[in-house]
């Protein structure tokens, strides 16, 4: 859809059945694919790798029927607190009706951002969505984004250029790509956002990086990029607790 995001938002609000019809059609389309290739399932697989003792705040931008949040709700998995946003809620109380070009969230207020087949609207809108994800993510936060490979590749699509347009959009708007899975019909990028340069002069949370707290934050940011599957915050927490025993 190449309709402007705000126009699309009003269209769905004026006729909620359009939103329901779209998701009914999408379910029928997904039934033709292998479950492991479906974007929401791929993102769930990535989130399942996260080991944490404290809850992480997640924003699902263009969440549709909030499949990811409902999955963890059904599993009684409380690792994540979801903020779900879409043009329509379909009457679901866990979905907030919002145009995701402007999220009702503070800067650096979430730890994980998700976009699954949510890059609707114009090219400028897509850029706005990416910028919003970058704005709300905390330093070193993770961004999981999946969309149509064909849509975000030059023609003709090859194994070398698959997803290259989305890759460039992410990098141009401040994200560092940690990993990517370029398949047909969907691609998935896992990114780091708001990662400050590892230097002695950069300001972090209004503190000089020479202060002890800021230095720890810089180290955590740096390590989370180098070793994305390791939860260093929990390792530090366990280390402190063990120290208290002696």
């Amino acid at each position: 859809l190449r309709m402007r995001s705000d126009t699309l938002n009003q269209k769905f609000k004026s006729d909620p059945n359009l939103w329901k019809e779209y998701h009914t059609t999408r379910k029928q389309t997904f039934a033709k694919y292998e479950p492991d290739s479906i974007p929401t399932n791929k993102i769930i697989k990535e989130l399942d790798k996260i080991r944490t003792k404290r809850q992480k705040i997640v924003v699902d931008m263009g969440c549709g029927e909030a499949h990811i949040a409902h999955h963890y709700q059904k599993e009684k998995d409380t690792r994540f607190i979801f903020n779900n946003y879409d043009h329509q809620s379909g009457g679901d109380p866990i979905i907030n009706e919002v145009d995701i070009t402007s999220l009702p969230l503070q800067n650096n207020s979430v730890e994980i951002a998700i976009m699954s087949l949510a890059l609707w609207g114009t090219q400028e809108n897509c850029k706005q969505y990416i910028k919003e994800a970058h704005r709300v993510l905390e330093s070193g936060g993770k961004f999981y984004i999946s969309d149509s490979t064909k849509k975000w590749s030059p023609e003709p699509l090859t194994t070398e250029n698959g997803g290259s347009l989305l890759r460039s959009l992410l990098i141009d708007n401040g994200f560092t790509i940690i990993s990517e899975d370029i398949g047909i019909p969907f691609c998935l990028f896992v990114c780091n956002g708001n990662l400050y340069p590892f230097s002695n002069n950069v300001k972090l949370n209004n503190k000089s990086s020479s202060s002890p707290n800021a230095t720890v934050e810089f180290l955590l940011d740096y390590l989370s990029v180098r070793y994305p599957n390791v939860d260093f915050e929990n390792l530090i927490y366990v280390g402190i607790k063990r120290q208290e025993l002696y």
Side-chain angles (χ1 to χ4, degrees):
L1 292 173
R2 293 302 178 186
M3 195 180 298
R4 276 171 41 122
S5 186
D6 54 353
T7 305
L8 191 60
N9 183 270
Q10 290 303 315
K11 195 170 184 65
F12 278 132
K13 284 186 181 300
S14 63
D15 187 358
N17 283 329
L18 285 176
W19 187 86
K20 292 179 181 178
E21 289 170 6
Y22 165 75
H23 286 286
T24 298
T25 302
R26 190 162 85 165
K27 285 177 184 176
Q28 294 168 350
T29 302
F30 280 175
K32 303 173 185 177
Y33 299 133
E34 290 293 325
D36 286 347
S37 71
I38 296 171
T40 50
N41 293 343
K42 282 190 170 187
I43 292 172
I44 286 170
K45 189 175 179 180
E46 289 293 324
L47 293 179
D48 281 344
K49 298 175 184 176
I50 296 174
R51 299 290 177 260
T52 180
K53 288 187 177 180
R54 60 179 180 81
Q55 290 181 305
K56 291 186 177 290
I57 300 171
V58 181
V59 57
D60 192 343
M61 301 170 62
C63 65
E65 295 178 310
H67 174 72
I68 297 174
H70 280 301
H71 167 81
Y72 286 103
Q73 195 175 60
K74 183 180 178 181
E75 295 295 318
K76 295 182 171 56
D77 188 331
T78 59
R79 282 175 293 168
F80 310 109
I81 300 172
F82 282 89
N83 296 280
N84 302 297
Y85 298 111
D86 208 310
H87 293 295
Q88 264 291 333
S89 67
D92 190 331
I94 75 168
I95 300 174
N96 300 286
E97 296 183 0
V98 168
D99 181 348
I100 60 171
T101 57
S102 181
L103 297 172
L105 296 171
Q106 295 182 349
N107 295 350
N108 316 119
S109 60
V110 305
E111 293 158 284
I112 296 169
I114 294 168
M115 289 194 75
S116 175
L117 297 178
L119 291 168
W120 289 25
T122 65
Q123 187 73 17
E124 181 59 30
N125 287 148
C126 293
K127 185 176 179 179
Q128 288 175 304
Y129 304 149
I130 302 297
K131 284 184 174 293
E132 270 298 271
H134 194 273
R135 179 185 69 81
V136 301
L137 272 173
E138 69 174 17
S139 177
K142 297 293 190 302
F143 185 28
Y144 300 86
I145 181 167
S146 182
D147 213 85
S148 163
T149 301
K150 184 178 179 181
K151 174 182 174 181
W152 291 99
S153 304
E155 294 183 351
L157 171 60
T158 67
T159 54
E160 288 76 25
N161 69 16
S164 61
L165 301 179
L166 182 53
R167 185 185 300 110
S168 296
L169 184 64
L170 290 164
I171 293 171
D172 290 347
N173 286 281
F175 284 101
T176 300
I177 295 172
I178 300 171
S179 66
E180 54 185 68
D181 179 1
I182 311 299
I184 300 294
F186 306 115
C187 56
L188 169 68
F189 291 91
V190 181
C191 313
N192 262 111
N194 290 331
L195 188 63
Y196 292 89
F198 197 79
S199 72
N200 292 324
N201 300 315
V202 177
K203 296 286 185 178
L204 181 63
N205 295 332
N206 296 321
K207 295 178 181 178
S208 167
S209 62
S210 61
S211 71
N213 287 342
T215 300
V216 170
E217 289 187 61
F218 271 104
L219 283 169
L220 286 173
D221 287 343
Y222 176 74
L223 290 170
S224 69
V225 172
R226 290 293 304 275
Y227 309 99
N229 294 324
V230 179
D231 191 337
F232 286 98
E233 290 186 41
N234 273 336
L235 288 175
I236 292 172
Y237 173 82
V238 171
I240 292 171
K241 288 299 179 184
R242 285 181 177 174
Q243 184 69 25
E244 289 175 353
L245 295 176
Y246 296 96

